[in-house]
Structures are given as C-alpha cells and as structure tokens.
C-alpha cells in the first residue's frame, strides 16, 4: 500500500479536502485504485452533534456514519462508497484505547499518548486502507490521507507524531507528503509573500515530517523567483512546488495538478512511475469545458437557516450543480434566510424582508433543505406555500418535506395550528411526529441514519419516472421526525400523494402534489449520492422543471432530458415571476453562483 498525506499550514480553509480529492482523481487517471481517509483532530467521536456553523454540513454515508464534509468531496470526485471508519477523530481513537484499557488488553501497563494512542492511529490507518471502497475486490493501490486542522494546532500533535512514525514504518517509496500552504499577495506592494509558508514548513519539519511537494494557495500563479525562494528555504525541488490559484470551479483543480506534473512528482516519490499510465482526463475535461461554456442560467432560491455559511449546504449546492450541468444551464443559487420571509421581519427590518421576497419571487425553482430547530420554520412554510400556489417547481428535503406537509395541512385542510411536535409539542394537529424508536436523551447517532429503501406505491408518479420507473430506491437518511401516519388518509383525500414509503408502508418517504408541475418532498437526502455526470434524479427533476424541460425515464435509473419541450404552465409561472433575464451574481462558489440577502457574498 502506498500512502499520500495531505497537511495544511498557515490558516484553515485553504482547500485541503479538494486538494486531496484532486490528487486522488489524478492517481485514478494514471490507472491506480484509490481510497481515502480523513483525520479530524476534534474530540467529538463524529460530526453528528456539531452545528453546521461549527464545521459545515454533516455528510451521511451509506452505513449511517455522520462524518466531515470532506468525505463528501472524496465520494463525489472519486466515485467511492466510504464507511464511517474512513473518518478518524480524536474521540474515536481515545474511545478505542480506553475500551482496550478497561478490558485489560494492555496487561497492566501505563496507558500513554506514546506509544498507545499513536499506535492506535497507525493501526486504524493500516486497517481501513485495506478495505475496498470502489466496488472491486481487494485493497486499493494508494490511500490518500487528509489531516484536518493546521500544523501547530495542539489537538493535532498525537496525529503528527503518529504519522511521523508511520512514514518511517512503511518506509521510503511508500509515503508521500503534500503540504498545502498559503502564499498571500499583499495589496499594498502586490508581492507574493513566502514567509508564512517558510514558517509552516519549518514547523512541520520540526515535528518530524518532511514535505515532498508544496501546494501553494494563491490568487494567481507563483512567479518563478518565488518558487526558487520556496525551494531554497523549504528544501523542496522547484518542480515539486505547485500553485493552486483561483479557478472558475473546483473541477479545474485535477487538471491544474496534471498541467504542473504533480503526478510525476508523486509517482516518483512512491516508486510507481514504471507501472503508471499517462493521465486520462478525457471525460473530466469534457465536463469542465462544457460547464464553462454555458450561458443560459437557472435561478434556484434555497430557503434555509444557515445561509451565512454556504458549507452548511455543500452537498445540496453540488447536487444542484450536477443537475444544472446535465441541463446545460449555469446555476445561480440565491441563499434566502428563512426568517427574513416572516411577518416579524417586515416590521423589524423591512429592507431584509423585501430583499428575501424579491429573491424568492425571482427564482425559477425553490428548494427547502434539511435542518433542525424552529428558527425560520414559518419562513420556510411561507416559501412552500408560495411555490405550491404559484406553480413554481419545489423540492423539499427532509425538513423541507415536513414543511410542505405542514403548509398543506394549514392552507388546504384548514388546520391552522398544524405543526411538527419538534416545534410545538402541544399542537392539537401534529402532522409531523417524533419517531417511535428515537431517543430524546442522547443526540449522537440516535437518528434514522444511512441508506434505507423506499418503495414506490404509485407507478406513474413523477418521482418513480425520475428514477427510471424503478420499483424502489436506496437513499441516505438523517432524521428524528416523520409524517404522522394517522393523518395520511386525510392529506391524500385533500390532494397530496404519498408515492414513496418504507418497507412497512407506515413511514412516508416521498410526497407529491399531482396537480402541480413539480412539487416533491423527500424524507431522505438525495444530495448525498449525487455525482458529476450522474446527478441525483430528484435534483435533476427540479432543475429540469425550472428550465422548462421534460424528463425521459432511462432503464439505468438515471433519467435523460429532451430538448425544446416546454411546459406552458411553467412558462406562465416564469412570466408571473418576471424571469425574463438574470442579474449578475455577487459571488462564485466552486462554479455555483450564490447570493444572499444578508451580505451579498457567501
């Protein structure tokens, strides 16, 4: 097994996850099988209990693991199916060591960070690296490891020590270290500054790790004299110093690495040059170039509560991007703070209220993603109501589905106090209730998590067609609340249709409004399985409806688009919203143009 370690220095948020994923793509293009491991030095055993404001979205795996969002990057870029063990945390390591100590496995020895914690880290890496995650037999050829945080963080020290020992343990030719660092450009002088990277590499070397490659984040390509300076002070050949400068979208990063011969430096370090092929990026280049040429735009209003941090909805944004690319449209996402749609905001901050409703009414489609807590719920209900009453394409995910049911109960059934028991435990019309098997005392890992099967009960519904007329579909879940089964007959008699259910037939998975051009809610999270070139069917349906295009079911479970077939109803809805053109975006996030009513940049 060959190992590539990706570390970061100077500041956090440089893009280590994307760099690690891109290195994996580059190695795959050279003919190697790749697996990935993400190390998070925090004490939590997993990301499940963390607020999105703390660490971005919680990504959910097939096995129910709640993990760091970078594992989502790995799955999307490398088309892998990872497990919860591919995410190592300090909490997991210490928990395993303490359990061994309690069993007496250490035979009375004093349990210490060195060697017991460091040995546990190395054993975990070696064990997980052997598990195939690409659907093939046998272990992968290369394991790409990303160490979270920044070099010098106190919580990273046991991992740094363990990885230093590990590099010696696996031996020369089996270990390659790529250090991602910042080379800032000061506006005052316009000069690229190398000192932060010099200090970061010096600190890394002092901890027992020597970088083989430097990946320097900068707003523009590194000057030759800057490379020479870094090479001299960091003891890295200039041919192994890469520039990760700003690009239109992250699909360019693997190509950026290839153009700078990163694969040659990595393969030389790992003694793999004799068995590698020339990088084959034919499909990847086609996708990247096609997206860059799109001119027509589709605007989606995403109504949520974490709109100040776009990473909180990273997988949703990626799924929208994959679908819009399949529809040959440039994607514009307006991040609309849900609470800004509420009546209270109209009194307290009229400008924010007007801006939020302006974005909602200017959208081609509306999406309400998952979430927890009651903040902004009434705004989400208003968004669902607007979409339903004005024939605007709507997709509700997890809480977004529950919101659609609450809104329908209030507006159509006349149950004005209808609510979820999550937000109003005393409501007389609980249309969303706590799951019977859930725990109200423990938060971590107690939800309905991971891949579960949904059976279609209505053969000719939109959802089944989007999934290629399948009889069932496996999607990933993360929820504690569900639609009240006692209210289903009442809701369906009024016009809703629960077309997808679990194996018992009592848990509602997919709801549709048959009289609406596109109004779908899913209890699961389809965004977690969306891939470039293979978009999630429900996201493809939303974007297609927003672009006024028609879906043709495909036998492989992924539907195709037909061009030039327009829905008069959707065209009328677009005219109603005044969508005759698109405003320029305020910012660009990995190829997705985003705006928000709070600060204009996300």
């Amino acid at each position: 097994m060959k190992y590539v370690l990706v570390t970061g220095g100077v500041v956090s948020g440089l893009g280590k996850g994307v760099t690690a994923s891109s290195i994996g793509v580059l190695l795959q293009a050279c003919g190697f099988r790749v697996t990935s491991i993400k190390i998070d030095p925090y004490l939590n055993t997993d990301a499940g209990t963390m607020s999105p404001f703390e660490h971005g979205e919680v990504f959910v795996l097939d096995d129910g693991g709640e993990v760091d969002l970078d594992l989502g990057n790995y799955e999307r870029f490398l088309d892998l199916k990872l497990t919860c063990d591919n995410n190592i945390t300090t909490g997991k390591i210490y928990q395993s060591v303490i359990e061994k100590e309690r069993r007496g496995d250490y035979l009375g020895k004093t349990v210490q960070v060195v060697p017991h914690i460091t040995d546990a880290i190395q054993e975990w890496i070696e064990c997980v690296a052997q598990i195939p995650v690409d659907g093939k037999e046998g272990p992968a050829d290369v394991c790409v490891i990303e160490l979270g945080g920044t070099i010098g963080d106190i919580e990273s020290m046991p991992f740094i020590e363990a990885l230093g020992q590990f590099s010696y343990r696996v031996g020369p030719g089996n270990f390659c270290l790529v250090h991602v660092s910042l080379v800032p450009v000061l506006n005052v002088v316009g000069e690229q500054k190398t000192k932060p990277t010099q200090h970061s590499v010096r600190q890394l070397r002092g901890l027992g790790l020597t970088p083989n490659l430097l990946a320097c984040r900068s707003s523009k390509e590194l000057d030759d004299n800057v490379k020479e300076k870094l090479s001299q002070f960091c003891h890295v050949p200039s041919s192994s110093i890469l520039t990760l400068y700003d690009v239109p979208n992250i699909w360019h990063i693997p190509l950026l690495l290839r153009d700078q011969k990163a694969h040659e430096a990595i393969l030389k370090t790992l003694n793999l040059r004799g068995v590698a092929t020339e990088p084959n990026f034919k499909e990847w280049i086609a996708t990247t170039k096609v997206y860059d040429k799109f001119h027509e735009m589709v605007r989606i209003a995403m109504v949520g509560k974490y709109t100040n941090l776009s990473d909180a909805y990273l997988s949703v944004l990626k799924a929208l991007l994959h679908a819009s690319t399949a529809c040959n449209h440039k994607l514009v996402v307006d991040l609309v703070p849900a609470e800004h749609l509420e009546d209270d905001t109209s009194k307290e901050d009229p400008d924010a209220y007007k801006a939020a409703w302006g974005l909602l009414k200017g959208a081609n489609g509306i999406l309400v993603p998952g979430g927890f807590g009651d903040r902004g719920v009434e705004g989400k209900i208003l968004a669902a109501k607007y979409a339903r009453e004005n024939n605007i394409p709507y997709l509700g995910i997890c809480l977004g589905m529950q919101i659609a049911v609450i809104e329908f109960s209030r507006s159509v059934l006349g149950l004005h106090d209808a609510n979820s028991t999550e937000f109003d435990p005393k409501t007389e019309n609980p249309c969303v209730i706590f799951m019977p098997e859930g725990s109200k005392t423990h938060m971590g890992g107690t939800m309905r998590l991971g891949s579960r099967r949904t059976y279609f009960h209505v053969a000719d519904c939109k959802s089944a067609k989007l999934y290629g007329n399948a009889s069932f579909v496996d999607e990933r879940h993360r929820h504690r609340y569900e639609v009240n089964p006692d209210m289903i007959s009442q809701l369906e008699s009024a016009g809703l249709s629960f077309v997808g259910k679990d194996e018992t037939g009592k848990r509602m998975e997919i709801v549709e409004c048959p009289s609406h051009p596109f109004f779908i809610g899913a209890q699961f999270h389809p965004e977690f399985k969306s891939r470039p070139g293979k978009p999630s069917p429900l996201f493809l349906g939303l974007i297609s409806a927003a672009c006024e295009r028609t879906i043709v079911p495909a036998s492989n479970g992924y539907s195709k688009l037909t061009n030039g077939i327009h829905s008069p109803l959707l065209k009328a809805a677009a005219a109603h919203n005044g969508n005759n053109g698109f405003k320029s975006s305020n910012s660009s996030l990995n190829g997705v143009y985003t705006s928000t009513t709070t600060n204009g940049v996300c």
Side-chain angles (χ1 to χ4, degrees):
M1 176 68 67
K2 307 288 185 177
Y3 298 90
V4 177
L5 173 64
V6 179
T7 60
V10 185
V11 295
S12 60
L14 287 178
K16 294 191 303 298
V18 173
T19 303
S21 302
S22 299
I23 289 171
V25 170
L26 188 59
L27 292 170
Q28 281 184 338
C30 291
F32 298 103
R33 293 172 60 199
V34 177
T35 184
S36 294
I37 294 174
K38 171 66 189 294
I39 297 174
D40 282 303
Y42 49 67
L43 279 169
N44 307 58
T45 55
D46 59 39
T49 60
M50 298 169 68
S51 163
F53 285 128
E54 285 284 322
H55 213 64
E57 76 170 4
V58 176
F59 190 80
V60 179
L61 303 171
D62 262 13
D63 64 2
E66 298 173 281
V67 295
D68 182 81
L69 58 81
D70 279 321
L71 274 80
N73 282 326
Y74 305 157
E75 285 205 344
R76 283 186 290 269
F77 266 57
L78 303 171
D79 198 17
L80 305 176
K81 192 178 288 185
L82 301 174
T83 72
C84 60
D85 290 336
N86 290 86
N87 191 195
I88 304 174
T89 69
T90 299
K92 284 182 179 179
I93 294 295
Y94 274 79
Q95 190 175 57
S96 67
V97 169
I98 289 170
E99 285 174 356
K100 286 182 180 180
E101 184 271 331
R102 292 290 85 187
R103 289 197 305 264
D105 291 2
Y106 296 117
L107 302 176
K109 289 186 177 294
T110 302
V111 180
Q112 297 174 292
V113 172
V114 181
H116 301 101
I117 294 295
T118 53
D119 283 353
I121 293 168
Q122 295 175 69
E123 289 164 8
W124 193 304
I125 291 172
E126 279 191 317
C127 179
V128 172
Q130 297 295 320
I131 300 172
V133 291
D134 57 1
K136 300 177 183 178
E137 295 293 327
D141 303 309
V142 183
C143 178
V144 179
I145 306 166
E146 178 194 347
L147 175 62
T150 306
I151 293 302
D153 294 346
I154 190 169
E155 61 265 27
S156 301
M157 292 305 178
F159 292 101
I160 294 289
E161 175 63 30
L163 290 164
Q165 294 178 19
F166 189 69
S167 65
Y168 177 77
R169 179 173 168 178
V170 300
N174 295 316
F175 189 88
C176 177
L177 173 54
V178 181
H179 187 59
V180 182
S181 185
L182 178 68
V183 178
V185 178
L186 299 184
N187 292 332
V188 178
V189 292
E191 181 186 2
Q192 292 175 325
K193 292 295 183 180
T194 64
K195 195 64 72 177
T197 296
Q198 291 180 43
H199 286 310
S200 181
V201 171
R202 186 178 296 115
Q203 192 170 21
L204 186 63
R205 291 167 65 88
L207 294 169
L209 287 170
T210 301
N212 301 103
L213 286 87
L214 284 182
C216 299
R217 283 287 288 116
S218 187
S219 57
K220 60 180 182 178
E221 193 170 356
L222 291 186
D223 298 331
D224 288 340
N225 65 312
V226 173
K227 276 191 175 185
E228 291 300 326
K229 190 174 183 180
L230 284 171
S231 176
Q232 180 181 4
F233 284 97
C234 299
H235 306 172
V236 176
S238 58
S239 60
S240 297
I241 298 176
L242 316 170
T243 312
L244 299 181
Y245 53 85
D246 296 343
V247 290
N249 64 69
I250 59 173
W251 293 341
H252 285 270
I253 302 298
L255 304 177
L256 204 61
L257 294 176
R258 180 207 59 179
D259 293 343
Q260 297 178 70
K261 309 292 185 184
H263 56 291
E264 293 184 3
I266 294 171
L267 295 174
K268 180 181 178 181
T269 304
L270 297 177
N271 291 333
L272 288 173
R273 284 197 294 185
V275 292
T277 62
E278 279 298 309
N280 180 5
F281 275 107
K282 187 176 180 180
E283 291 185 12
W284 195 276
I285 291 172
T287 302
T288 305
K289 286 187 175 179
V290 164
Y291 185 78
D292 287 341
K293 293 178 180 178
F294 294 154
H295 297 293
E296 285 190 87
M297 295 189 180
V298 57
R299 186 176 290 274
I300 301 296
M302 186 163 69
V303 182
K305 61 183 290 188
Y306 308 115
T307 52
N308 281 335
L309 181 68
S310 57
D311 271 1
Y313 301 113
L314 185 62
S315 290
V316 175
L317 291 170
K318 297 301 181 188
L320 288 169
L321 178 62
H322 302 158
S324 66
T325 302
C327 294
N328 300 323
H329 275 64
K330 209 82 164 178
L331 176 66
V332 179
V333 179
D334 292 319
L335 303 176
V336 183
E339 61 269 32
H340 286 189
L341 297 171
E342 297 171 1
D343 292 338
D344 288 346
T345 304
S346 67
K347 303 169 186 174
E348 298 168 3
D349 192 346
D351 291 340
Y353 178 81
K354 182 179 179 180
W357 275 102
L359 290 176
L360 193 73
K361 291 181 178 181
N364 302 104
I366 296 171
L367 187 149
V368 176
F372 298 92
D374 60 358
R375 181 169 66 85
V377 164
E378 294 302 320
K380 295 176 184 179
I381 291 172
L382 288 169
K385 180 182 176 70
Y386 179 82
R388 184 181 58 81
E389 292 183 343
N390 292 279
N391 289 320
I392 309 301
Y394 174 89
L395 177 61
I397 299 171
C398 197
L399 176 60
M401 170 188 170
Q402 298 168 9
I403 289 295
V405 173
I406 294 170
E407 187 280 319
F408 192 88
S409 300
R410 292 182 182 181
S411 302
V412 179
L413 295 181
L415 305 176
H416 300 298
D417 71 332
N419 214 330
S420 167
T421 55
E422 179 182 5
F423 313 129
D424 183 6
K426 297 180 180 179
T427 178
E428 293 183 4
N429 292 288
C431 48
V432 178
I433 60 173
F434 193 80
M435 293 190 311
E437 69 270 34
S439 171
K440 293 188 177 182
T441 57
H442 289 74
M443 301 294 287
T446 59
M447 289 183 277
R448 189 166 181 258
L449 291 164
S451 182
R452 306 296 178 99
R453 183 157 290 181
T454 295
Y455 293 89
F456 290 105
H457 286 246
V458 180
D460 62 344
C461 65
K462 292 184 181 70
S463 303
K465 290 177 181 176
L466 287 167
Y467 281 101
N469 290 322
S471 57
F472 64 84
V473 62
D474 297 317
E475 292 280 13
R476 300 177 184 178
H477 292 67
R478 185 176 185 250
H479 65 103
R480 282 193 178 88
Y481 291 81
E482 62 188 19
V483 178
N484 186 351
D486 295 337
M487 290 189 66
I488 299 306
S489 59
Q490 190 178 1
L491 289 163
E492 289 197 318
S493 64
L496 280 187
S497 179
F498 290 91
V499 301
K501 302 178 183 179
D502 75 341
E503 65 278 0
T504 68
K506 295 180 179 178
R507 182 168 276 143
M508 303 303 113
E509 293 282 4
I510 305 175
V511 63
E512 292 186 9
C513 186
S515 61
H516 193 285
F518 189 91
F519 191 93
I520 294 178
Q523 185 59 73
F524 48 79
H525 289 263
E527 68 269 23
F528 291 141
K529 294 181 73 172
S530 183
R531 302 286 182 268
K534 198 163 63 174
S536 163
L538 294 186
F539 279 85
L540 184 60
L542 173 67
I543 296 295
S544 302
C547 295
E548 303 177 30
R549 305 181 75 180
T550 300
I551 292 287
V552 175
S555 58
N556 63 1
Y558 289 88
S559 302
K560 299 178 181 178
L561 292 162
T562 60
N563 295 315
I565 301 177
H566 299 277
S567 162
L569 191 57
L570 285 177
K571 193 174 289 186
H576 170 80
N577 285 336
N579 289 330
N580 300 316
F582 295 90
K583 299 176 182 177
S584 60
S585 61
N586 293 342
S587 65
S588 174
L589 171 72
N590 300 334
V592 180
Y593 293 93
T594 60
S595 65
T596 166
T597 62
T598 50
N599 56 16
V601 179
C602 193

